[in-house]
Amino acid sequence: MLRDPADLTAADYLDSAREMTAADRPYLAHLLAEEAAQRTTDPATAAGIRATFPDPTATREETG
């Protein structure tokens, strides 16, 4: 059964972000965590979420 995205909570998005991190999908984890941060009312908590799941395209180092 599919869930209505409007019913998902910040915790649901964080759980999914953790799953994507474990699956080596950092960009998807970042997007899910950003949605969790936006659904969080406490600015400090939102900042912590964003720090835990940074944008991998902004922190990528070029090689070669």
Side-chain angles (χ1 to χ4, degrees):
M1 172 185 284
L2 297 175
R3 292 179 66 180
D4 183 355
D7 293 336
L8 296 174
T9 66
D12 294 326
Y13 281 99
L14 276 177
D15 287 344
S16 295
R18 290 183 190 105
E19 289 176 16
M20 291 302 103
T21 298
D24 197 28
R25 305 285 307 264
Y27 190 69
L28 187 52
H30 163 71
L31 293 175
L32 290 162
E34 181 59 33
E35 184 63 32
Q38 290 178 8
R39 292 173 181 251
T40 301
T41 57
D42 178 39
T45 301
I49 291 169
R50 288 182 176 108
T52 302
F53 298 94
D55 182 351
T57 62
T59 57
R60 183 178 64 191
E61 294 183 19
E62 296 297 325
T63 59

